[in-house]
Amino acid sequence: MWGQLVRVQDLSRVCPNCSSMLELKHRFVVPGGRFVEPYYWDTYFALEGVLRSGLHELATESIRNLLDLVTKHGFVPNGARVYYLSRSQPPLLALMVKLHYEFTHDASFVCEALPVLRREHDYWMDKHKVNVHVSDRVWELNRYFVDIDVPRPESYSDDYELARNVSSSDERRWTQVYADITAAAESGWDFSSRWVREPDAPPERLLQTIRTRDVVPVDLNAILYQTEMAIAELAVVSNDPALAADFWRQAETRHEAIDAVMLDHESGLYFDYILSDQRQSRDFTAASLWPYWAFNATHPDQQTDSVFNYVNHILDANPGGLPATLRTTGQQWDAPMAWPPQQYVAMQSALSTNHTHLAQRVAQMYVNS
């Protein structure tokens, strides 16, 4: 199977600067047969299978490509194309390096990667940081944020038309649409009712209310917690206790912030936070479970039992697997779509909280679908 998804970049038949591909020196895995370039967060889930298949060198090469991109551009672009250089995707690179170490015990690779992981973390803390005022405190969290005032090159006509449907003449509104639609693409959830102001709007109007930069996403912040924990653990491997202590402190602070801003204590669920409304969104999405994987078993059993009983009820009504959201809008990251990364996170969340039967149920339902 992997042989059908592995690619080697060959630009020898293309004139200099005539390809939109970013340079990749090593082999990589594409998310499907029609693609010729790798995508950022898809690579993490591919590596889970690649490493379990014993293809350690392929995993090393795939990660090296991403490290090279950070070294050259300061971050991992959405995909290995020039037109993706305006945005990233969910930052899973540190988790890839940690996973690689767990399978290979290659400490030298960890030492090589660690400065690059710190540089990527700096990018997310510099470009995507936001202050949230809750409970008389200011909490530092992160959001998807792209500062762009033109349509995405790969979807120029779609974005142009969307902006003109929002306003026929207000260039300021056009700029807002371009930035928010691109930020939604950075999330990997392109597109979803998560990112709109009016989720009940008719399908043809839904994206006209796009407001991605107004949302503090629970999954992004759980990922950054995992990133900070991973960098701390990798710093121990590289014999840098000061760096490890620094990133453990950052992770602990983020954990506290996520619980303060995003946790609904009554239901036990985590929700995105809406900046302009100064409240949680209260819409369940598959992202609501990510902190239970990230934080492992740090919650009371009664709380996790309530959460995963609720997930069981959702699965009862959705035989294809856990849907991205509970809203049916026609967008591909809304119901009834059940994407593999979301099933993976649901399984990991259940396993991390000792809900093994639910993890097995999610896996079996997805296989059956």
Side-chain angles (χ1 to χ4, degrees):
M1 179 190 74
W2 294 114
Q4 299 176 29
L5 297 175
V6 176
R7 301 284 187 273
V8 178
Q9 189 179 82
D10 180 9
L11 302 180
S12 61
R13 299 181 181 180
V14 181
C15 63
N17 301 319
C18 291
S19 173
S20 65
M21 286 279 287
L22 298 174
E23 181 184 10
L24 302 173
K25 298 178 182 178
H26 311 285
R27 291 180 297 166
F28 52 88
V29 179
V30 296
R34 70 183 180 89
F35 293 100
V36 296
E37 72 277 356
Y39 285 79
Y40 183 6
W41 79 318
D42 301 81
T43 301
Y44 173 82
F45 301 102
L47 289 181
E48 286 274 13
V50 167
L51 287 164
R52 281 171 170 75
S53 300
L55 302 173
H56 294 176
E57 187 57 36
L58 174 60
T60 303
E61 292 185 50
S62 295
I63 297 172
R64 282 194 191 281
N65 283 324
L66 303 185
L67 295 172
D68 288 347
L69 290 170
V70 176
T71 299
K72 183 171 184 178
H73 302 289
F75 67 101
V76 181
N78 183 148
R81 293 281 186 179
V82 171
Y83 48 75
Y84 289 140
L85 286 174
S86 65
R87 64 182 189 263
S88 187
Q89 259 195 341
L92 296 171
L93 182 55
L95 274 67
M96 297 184 210
V97 175
K98 178 186 173 185
L99 186 67
H100 181 275
Y101 179 74
E102 290 169 354
F103 277 87
T104 67
H105 304 292
D106 186 347
S108 63
F109 187 67
V110 170
C111 293
E112 174 189 341
L114 200 51
V116 185
L117 300 181
R118 293 178 64 187
R119 183 177 178 188
E120 188 200 26
H121 183 264
D122 288 344
Y123 166 81
W124 282 91
M125 296 308 297
D126 178 44
K127 300 292 185 181
H128 298 75
K129 184 172 59 178
V130 64
N131 291 328
V132 181
H133 299 258
V134 171
S135 302
D136 298 321
R137 281 191 60 178
V138 178
W139 304 95
E140 188 176 276
L141 290 166
N142 294 75
R143 58 180 168 167
Y144 293 109
F145 186 89
V146 178
D147 187 13
I148 192 171
D149 59 2
V150 294
R152 293 169 296 153
E154 78 279 11
S155 300
Y156 193 97
S157 61
D158 291 341
D159 293 0
Y160 182 92
E161 182 179 353
L162 175 64
R164 268 60 183 178
N165 286 333
V166 170
S167 173
S168 61
S169 59
D170 188 342
E171 293 187 11
R172 183 182 60 86
R173 289 290 295 120
W174 298 347
T175 297
Q176 290 172 350
V177 169
Y178 297 148
D180 282 318
I181 206 76
T182 307
E186 183 174 60
S187 77
W189 288 51
D190 43 336
F191 297 105
S192 168
S193 58
R194 281 183 78 184
W195 313 127
V196 302
R197 183 174 293 100
E198 299 175 22
D200 295 317
E204 65 274 10
R205 286 194 56 248
L206 187 74
L207 293 183
Q208 294 179 29
T209 68
I210 189 88
R211 61 164 179 184
T212 313
R213 296 171 301 165
D214 194 32
V215 179
V216 183
V218 63
D219 46 352
L220 172 60
N221 284 281
I223 290 168
L224 285 168
Y225 169 84
Q226 290 175 298
T227 293
E228 288 153 0
M229 287 294 292
I231 292 176
E233 293 166 17
L234 295 170
V236 172
V237 173
S238 69
N239 196 29
D240 190 339
L243 181 63
D246 179 31
F247 272 86
W248 271 321
R249 177 191 57 78
Q250 292 187 55
E252 182 180 354
T253 300
R254 186 179 298 277
H255 188 168
E256 185 182 6
I258 292 172
D259 279 352
V261 174
M262 298 173 165
L263 175 61
D264 173 54
H265 292 277
E266 183 177 349
S267 67
L269 291 167
Y270 289 86
F271 295 101
D272 296 334
Y273 187 84
I274 311 302
L275 291 168
S276 61
D277 296 341
Q278 297 184 313
R279 62 170 180 83
Q280 296 171 355
S281 74
R282 308 307 299 235
D283 268 15
F284 172 83
T285 75
S288 300
L289 302 180
W290 205 304
Y292 283 101
W293 172 29
F295 299 155
N296 223 324
T298 59
H299 296 80
D301 289 343
Q302 185 176 1
Q303 179 175 310
T304 60
D305 286 347
S306 173
V307 168
F308 290 104
N309 284 338
Y310 179 64
V311 173
N312 260 315
H313 289 310
I314 294 174
L315 293 175
D316 288 341
N318 293 274
L322 185 69
T325 73
L326 302 184
R327 294 181 180 274
T328 303
T329 66
Q331 294 298 322
Q332 64 175 356
W333 288 84
D334 280 322
M337 304 297 284
W339 291 88
Q342 296 165 340
Q343 312 315 299
Y344 175 89
V345 172
M347 287 186 286
Q348 291 289 0
S349 300
L351 290 171
S352 295
T353 53
N354 298 315
H355 290 81
T356 307
H357 291 298
L358 177 61
Q360 292 173 335
R361 185 184 184 195
V362 172
Q364 192 61 58
M365 289 179 72
Y366 192 74
V367 170
N368 292 345
S369 71

